[in-house]
Amino acid sequence: NDKSNNPGSELEPAQIDALMAKNRAGFAKAAQGLIAATDLALKAIDSRNAEALSDAGGEIDAACEACHLTFWYPNEGKQ
């Protein structure tokens, strides 16, 4: 029974679920991209490499945004 906090700019939860169900492979690929990016961050933390951690933060942001543009607010990129 969840509702969007920003109707009109993001899809409703049921619509997001439907998109993910329709494109499971795409969603899985996006999730793997996020896992890879967070792996970079963990390696940077373990090696105490601040620059690599900052770079990994950019990779995490890019992975999140790519997924959101596909499944959360896909119409934003089409305007």
Side-chain angles (χ1 to χ4, degrees):
N1 294 328
D2 284 340
K3 297 288 180 193
S4 168
N5 292 328
N6 302 297
S9 64
E10 64 187 28
L11 299 178
E12 294 295 331
Q15 294 172 300
I16 296 168
D17 286 344
L19 280 176
M20 289 188 307
K22 184 178 177 181
N23 186 2
R24 294 304 287 171
F27 183 72
K29 183 177 179 182
Q32 288 300 317
L34 180 57
I35 290 168
T38 56
D39 229 13
L40 291 174
L42 291 172
K43 287 176 184 171
I45 292 167
D46 288 343
S47 66
R48 299 179 181 264
N49 186 331
E51 185 176 341
L53 180 58
S54 179
D55 292 345
E59 294 291 325
I60 291 169
D61 184 58
C64 289
E65 189 63 17
C67 183
H68 291 175
L69 280 170
T70 302
F71 297 103
W72 195 333
Y73 39 85
N75 295 327
E76 186 171 297
K78 297 176 185 174
Q79 296 175 355

